Amino acid sequence: MAPWNPRIEEMPLDELRRLQFKLVKSLVYRLYSFNDFYRSRMKEHQVHPDDIRTLEDVAKLPFMYKSDLRDGYPDRIFTAERNELVRYHVSSGTTGKPTVVGYTERDIENWSESLARGFSSCGLGRGDVIQVSYGYGLFTGGLGAHYGAERVGATVLPTSVGNTERQIELMQDLHVTAIACTPSYLLHMGEVAEKMGVSIKNDTELRIGFLGAEPWSEQMRSRIEDWLGIRAYDIYGTSELSGPMFTECAEQQGVHIWGDLALVEIVDPATGEVLAPGEQGELTITMLQKEALPMVRYRIGDLTAIEESPCACGRTHPRINRIRGRVDDMLIVRGINVFPSQVEHALLEIPQVGRHFQIVVDRKGALDSMLVRVEVSEEAFSDKITELMVIKKVVEHRLRSSLNVGVDVELVEPGTLPRFEGKSKKVVDRRSL
């Protein structure tokens, strides 16, 4: 697919790194000179802007954390005046005070430009109709995809989440060709469509999906593509960065992070040490051109690796691999680290089970127990106990081999487990209750 901004997207790597260093130097001097939070944080860590002499010296700068944003509620870390702001978004406050993100006009422009590059790299453009089924309002997902799609000339259908039957009707009636939503909601939409007698694969014009806001696996991508007849692309971002900002290209070999907008590092979650390309660790991002709420070495908590090998699409910017999970989503069961994405990966290799599962972790006496509830597929479901027992043993064996920990399995009928229109909730940890 042709680049939206060829000069930037195909910039030689050495030139891109020079541009990044220039932007980093300017950012650090500005924050040290005009922002009390950043200046005091840098002094605490005994680092001065003059110490940043190479791009690698960024590792000398202190990390930022989600707690910094909550402690600075609502806008004490902002570097733009209130009369320069054109929008606020606010994240959930379920684990403390909410996070408020402000935007200048240029921040909105860069956000839209970033997604325009990503959307066009997957073939979205004029003549397409994209159904945006992310939440609108304080959540960044809906408006982020909305503005990026309009930038490339696509027609936007802002359905948000919910009212699924109506969404399917509109998908047909308005000849929708692309959708942006969570992968779990697209699976739910496919199930609802089948109950309505509609095949998304055969009865709609849908051909592209931009799926994100929750971890999902290559196996889930394959199942979505085969079942719904679309090309499913990963989309990535967080509200602190602006919102959904980056996508895979048509090659589907990792999410391109535009180097003129963001500098990516992968660090060891325990030590903070910078890891080499290809090594799995915690994603850390410095936003290079953000005006209202700059982020310097912000530890996002997502687990991934950087891929710096050339992409077949011709774009030179680094890519991150599929998000494996979150540092704080990691379950420790009897001393073994377990990620929900590992469970999903194992289950989706078993044709007799469906696409929906739930992990329940509990403590019996002094020992942890882990139960995986999984729906049997429509085709494999049976009232014969012996057939279900065979499936259960297959699932137990596959999970034990993948996780290196014993797991109890409960098979349930299709449609039993809860469906979610936003981010799916796959883990119930009763040990904290």
Side-chain angles (χ1 to χ4, degrees), residues 366-377:
L367 296 176
D368 292 336
S369 66
M370 179 172 165
L371 170 69
V372 176
R373 306 180 70 217
V374 59
E375 292 183 5
V376 180
S377 67

Side-chain angles (χ1 to χ4, degrees), residues 347 350-354 374-377 379-382 384-398 409 411:
L347 293 177
I350 305 171
Q352 296 95 332
V353 300
V374 59
E375 292 183 5
V376 180
S377 67
E379 297 78 14
F381 185 72
S382 169
K384 296 181 179 179
I385 299 298
T386 54
E387 293 180 0
L388 293 177
M389 288 301 295
V390 170
I391 297 174
K392 181 180 178 182
K393 288 182 178 178
V394 169
V395 174
E396 287 175 339
H397 176 74
R398 184 65 58 85
V409 171
L411 301 181

